[in-house]
């Protein structure tokens, strides 16, 4: 699975549970797969990262800047009580390198 995202399940979360991506319920098989103790999305999720000085400065003046920031939430039951695991960390696989021209060996004697 090239370019996908793995979401390790928190220790307390065991099936059955519900998966939400940016507040939208996801369906097993259509949107993600459950492999052992991790959820695997086919596409890459993105975490916004650290806020730099200029973005902070603009925000301080009320000027918003927006970037993609995926959030995974899990709804599950533990000890008979409903629970939510919010903003579960994930690991995005690196995108595969684009295929380049075929490599050829240099001519002999050169």
């Amino acid at each position: 699975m090239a370019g996908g995202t793995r979401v390790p399940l928190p220790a307390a979360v065991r099936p059955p549970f519900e998966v939400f991506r940016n507040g939208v319920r996801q369906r097993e098989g259509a949107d993600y797969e459950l492999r052992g103790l991790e959820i695997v999305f086919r596409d890459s999720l993105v975490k916004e990262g650290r806020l730099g000085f200029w973005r902070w400065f603009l925000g301080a003046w009320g000027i918003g800047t927006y970037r993609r920031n995926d959030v995974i939430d899990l709804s599950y039951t533990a000890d008979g009580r409903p629970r939510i695991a919010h903003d579960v960390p994930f690991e995005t696989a690196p995108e595969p390198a684009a295929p380049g021209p075929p490599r050829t060996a240099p001519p002999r004697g050169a």
Side-chain angles (χ1 to χ4, degrees):
M1 181 191 77
T5 302
R6 299 175 327 133
V7 183
L9 291 177
V13 178
R14 295 292 176 261
F17 55 82
E18 294 179 313
V19 178
F20 295 85
R21 177 179 177 178
N22 300 327
V24 178
R25 184 167 187 230
Q26 304 294 290
R27 296 175 315 188
E28 185 175 357
D31 301 309
Y32 70 90
E33 296 177 19
L34 182 61
R35 295 186 190 165
L37 295 177
E38 64 184 15
I39 298 165
V40 180
F41 287 90
R42 289 179 188 85
D43 54 340
S44 295
L45 302 180
V46 177
K47 189 53 76 176
E48 183 177 28
R50 191 168 173 209
L51 188 64
F53 171 77
W54 287 111
R55 291 192 60 228
W56 173 87
F57 181 77
L58 291 171
W61 289 97
I63 301 170
T65 61
Y66 299 94
R67 292 187 182 167
R68 185 170 158 199
N69 185 43
D70 291 314
V71 176
I72 300 298
D73 299 320
L74 303 174
S75 173
Y76 63 101
T77 302
D79 299 323
R81 299 178 61 189
R83 306 277 184 179
I84 299 288
H86 173 65
D87 201 6
V88 179
F90 53 81
E91 303 164 3
T92 301
E95 293 290 336
R103 294 185 176 199
T104 58
R108 291 184 185 226

